[in-house]
Amino acid sequence: MAASKKKTKGGLISHGIAAQNRKARFNYTILETVEAGLVLKGPEVKSLRMGRATLSEAYAIERDGELWLLNSYIPEYQGGVLSRFDTRAPRKLLLHRKQLAKYIGEITKAGASLVPLDIHFNARGVAKVTLGLGKGRKKEDKRHAIADRDWQRDKARLLRNKGRGEY
């Protein structure tokens, strides 16, 4: 099991990453990150602990002076719970007032986006969302990112095989 996913006996995540948005760092230039709390219902937390949530199309917006996480998918918990919930319901994000004012200002004036990077459980077992304040990348910027990633991989391969005469 990976170091980032600590699992207990029942196969549930006690702390560590529950869901990740891997394409966010490719599609956006992340300028700053912030950790926010997440308002969840009981069955949503249990479903998150199973590690089946997705953030690939999720984003955060401002509504009535509060930040909300939209379009995140948390599947229904199948453990015999009677209470059902909407799998793509808007979920409220919890930030300090100064942080809230700062990020709402960045979204409105600078045209930046708040993109969820991951949902994780901290050391106390509380669900948190890592939000990235980012600007969207253009197609040519994405090409440069791909080229840099390929060069780093090739460079590591060359250094690893140095002296063996292999490429």
Side-chain angles (χ1 to χ4, degrees):
M1 185 74 9
S4 64
K5 280 195 175 183
K6 305 279 185 190
K7 292 206 174 192
T8 60
K9 285 186 209 174
L12 301 177
I13 299 169
S14 60
H15 61 279
I17 294 176
Q20 233 178 356
N21 187 356
R22 296 184 63 186
K23 284 194 132 189
R25 292 193 187 269
F26 179 70
N27 292 330
Y28 295 90
T29 302
I30 304 297
L31 307 171
E32 192 176 335
T33 60
V34 64
E35 187 178 73
L38 189 60
V39 176
L40 296 170
K41 297 175 182 143
E44 290 176 321
V45 175
K46 285 188 170 193
S47 186
L48 265 180
R49 287 196 185 278
M50 293 184 80
R52 294 194 344 244
T54 57
L55 292 173
S56 58
E57 297 134 13
Y59 58 97
I61 63 164
E62 181 266 333
R63 231 187 241 167
D64 300 327
E66 299 174 337
L67 282 179
W68 292 83
L69 182 65
L70 298 180
N71 215 18
S72 62
Y73 176 73
I74 300 176
E76 286 189 6
Y77 181 65
Q78 301 297 325
V81 177
L82 294 176
S83 62
R84 300 281 182 222
F85 59 88
D86 184 14
T87 57
R88 292 205 182 263
R91 294 168 177 92
K92 187 176 177 181
L93 297 172
L94 305 172
L95 289 166
H96 293 285
R97 273 194 197 130
K98 285 184 180 179
Q99 288 178 325
L100 194 61
K102 175 185 174 184
Y103 290 112
I104 288 174
E106 289 288 333
I107 290 171
T108 55
K109 78 171 173 72
S113 300
L114 269 179
V115 183
L117 301 174
D118 66 30
I119 295 178
H120 62 277
F121 291 98
N122 65 6
R124 290 178 39 211
V126 178
K128 300 282 185 173
V129 178
T130 304
L131 295 171
L133 181 70
K135 297 242 181 209
R137 283 189 179 170
K138 293 183 173 41
K139 195 171 187 177
E140 55 270 10
D141 295 336
K142 291 179 185 180
R143 280 194 224 122
H144 288 297
I146 292 170
D148 290 341
R149 185 178 61 210
D150 289 347
W151 166 241
Q152 292 299 325
R153 186 175 50 238
D154 291 344
K155 185 169 68 171
R157 186 181 305 127
L158 287 171
L159 290 174
R160 185 178 63 237
N161 295 332
K162 183 179 171 189
R164 292 189 208 166
E166 300 175 16
Y167 291 105

